[in-house]
């Protein structure tokens, strides 16, 4: 197994507005596409196949948030190298040596732990297992800096604005929606069934998207994973809403490139993002309904 070099570059980017209007953060933990040479050398898959796990171009879709008055946090490290929406302890016994076999959640069993074993369609990334020491080194160098930055931003938002609203943005493959009753949703919001955000916050995000013409579904088939579970503490003024966007709306999933619908989708989302970035408050610190 080819080890990771001791020194690595930044794993994320933080962009701040001139005026952080209301403690809103837009994040994209799965759109990273800086594939390290050491990772490409150890993988049995070609780079195009490795990219099938990316939430490709989501960082571009949320970029207008900065001009609108929100902070953005976007990953550079690819999801198949380390998954920033998993806990550091979500280790796959089939991928990491010395990891005790125990009942784990279905994502880990399917190879999607914090250090993934597979990419889309269950294709194995590497032969053999990583040592426990190497796994921890990668988590320390690539996973922990992102989460330290996210925790710092959430704390700063609460200190400055009395609340933090994290919009954690992802994309979903079209095939994940085919089993749903037609017409399928274009966007799925997840707040862990009310556990990661006050219902008023989730409803405000839902209404803004619906008013922009999107078909929106809540908490099914995606309710939120590690980020929502860890950082969503509504009673402490910390709200997390996960947003999953149907990839077929803006990209050719096979070719992994934007298609003709990208600019139209981006324009529709820009208006929604601008409204959420300055989420208006009522007297209790919760959002007013979208107009």
């Amino acid at each position: 197994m080819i080890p990771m070099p001791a020194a690595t570059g930044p794993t994320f980017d933080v962009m701040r507005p001139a005026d952080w209007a209301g403690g809103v953060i837009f994040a994209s933990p799965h759109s990273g596409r800086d594939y390290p040479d050491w990772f490409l050398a150890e993988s049995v898959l070609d780079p195009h196949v490795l990219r099938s796990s990316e939430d490709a171009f989501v960082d571009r879709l949320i970029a207008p948030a900065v001009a609108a008055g929100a902070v953005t946090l976007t990953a550079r490290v690819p999801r198949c190298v380390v998954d920033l929406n998993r806990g550091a302890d979500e280790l796959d016994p089939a991928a990491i040596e010395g990891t005790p076999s125990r009942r784990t959640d279905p994502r880990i069993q399917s190879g999607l732990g914090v250090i993934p074993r597979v990419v889309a369609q269950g294709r194995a990334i590497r032969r053999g297992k990583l040592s426990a020491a190497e796994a921890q080194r990668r988590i320390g160098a690539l996973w922990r800096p992102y989460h330290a930055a996210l925790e710092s931003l959430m704390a700063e938002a609460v200190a400055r604005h009395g609340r933090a609203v994290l919009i954690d943005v992802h994309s979903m493959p079209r095939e994940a929606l085919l089993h749903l009753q037609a017409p399928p949703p274009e966007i799925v919001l997840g707040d862990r069934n009310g556990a990661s955000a006050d219902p008023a916050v989730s409803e405000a995000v839902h209404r803004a998207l619906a008013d922009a013409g999107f078909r929106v579904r809540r908490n099914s088939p995606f309710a939120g994973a590690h980020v929502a579970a860890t950082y969503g503490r509504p009673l402490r003024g910390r709200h997390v809403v996960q947003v999953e966007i149907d990839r077929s709306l803006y990209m050719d999933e096979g070719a992994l490139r934007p298609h003709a619908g990208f600019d139209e989708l981006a324009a529709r989302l820009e208006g929604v993002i601008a409204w959420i970035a300055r989420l208006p408050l009522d007297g209790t610190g919760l959002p007013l309904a979208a107009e």
Side-chain angles (χ1 to χ4, degrees):
M1 195 65 62
I2 298 172
M4 182 185 71
T8 60
T11 63
F12 60 89
D13 292 301
V14 175
M15 301 297 292
R16 291 176 172 270
D19 173 26
W20 192 4
V24 178
I25 304 158
F26 283 83
S28 175
H30 286 165
S31 58
R33 50 187 173 272
D34 290 355
Y35 288 83
D37 290 342
W38 54 264
F39 178 78
L40 295 174
E42 80 178 21
S43 176
V44 299
L45 301 176
D46 68 58
H48 186 82
V49 174
L50 288 171
R51 291 195 63 202
S52 64
S53 284
E54 278 181 29
D55 287 344
F57 314 115
V58 167
D59 53 339
R60 288 172 54 181
L61 291 173
I62 68 171
V66 179
V71 171
T72 61
L73 172 64
T74 55
R76 289 190 181 189
V77 60
R79 179 185 188 181
C80 61
V81 178
V82 63
D83 193 330
L84 300 172
N85 199 25
R86 299 288 181 265
D89 60 347
E90 293 188 61
L91 299 171
D92 179 0
I96 312 298
E97 291 177 354
T99 301
S101 295
R102 60 181 185 272
R103 181 173 295 180
T104 56
D105 71 37
R107 292 178 307 216
I108 298 175
Q109 291 177 335
S110 65
L112 299 175
V114 63
I115 296 183
R117 174 166 41 92
V118 301
V119 294
Q121 301 176 7
R123 292 168 288 191
I125 293 170
R126 62 180 69 80
R127 295 187 180 92
K129 300 182 180 183
L130 292 179
S131 70
E134 182 61 21
Q136 290 303 319
R137 194 152 69 99
R138 295 183 185 192
I139 291 169
L142 304 173
W143 185 95
R144 295 195 186 281
Y146 180 92
H147 284 276
L150 178 53
E151 170 57 33
S152 178
L153 287 170
M154 295 288 283
E156 181 185 352
V158 172
R160 292 178 57 180
H161 304 284
R163 60 148 191 204
V165 177
L166 173 63
I167 309 298
D168 201 49
V169 189
H170 301 256
S171 66
M172 51 188 175
R174 181 69 173 180
E175 64 182 19
L177 306 172
L178 297 180
H179 68 287
L180 301 177
Q181 184 175 356
E186 296 171 313
I187 293 179
V188 175
L189 300 184
D191 64 3
R192 298 185 68 83
N193 297 296
S196 71
D198 188 280
V201 174
S202 299
E203 183 59 30
V205 175
H206 186 154
R207 182 50 49 200
L209 288 161
D211 287 350
F214 292 103
R215 294 192 303 272
V216 185
R217 186 182 177 111
R218 301 270 278 273
N219 290 307
S220 176
F222 305 106
H226 173 75
V227 167
T230 301
Y231 297 94
R233 296 289 184 269
L235 295 179
R236 295 169 52 193
R238 295 176 173 223
H239 309 276
V240 180
V241 179
Q242 179 176 285
V243 176
E244 294 272 0
I245 304 169
D246 178 359
R247 292 175 188 166
S248 69
L249 295 177
Y250 68 91
M251 65 177 281
D252 181 322
E253 295 185 68
L256 287 170
R257 61 171 177 256
H259 61 44
F262 183 92
D263 289 343
E264 178 186 355
L265 175 74
R268 291 170 68 196
L269 283 176
E270 185 171 359
V272 174
I273 287 169
W275 188 84
I276 295 172
R278 296 180 178 270
L279 201 60
L281 301 178
D282 65 14
T284 68
L286 293 175
L288 298 167
E291 296 180 358

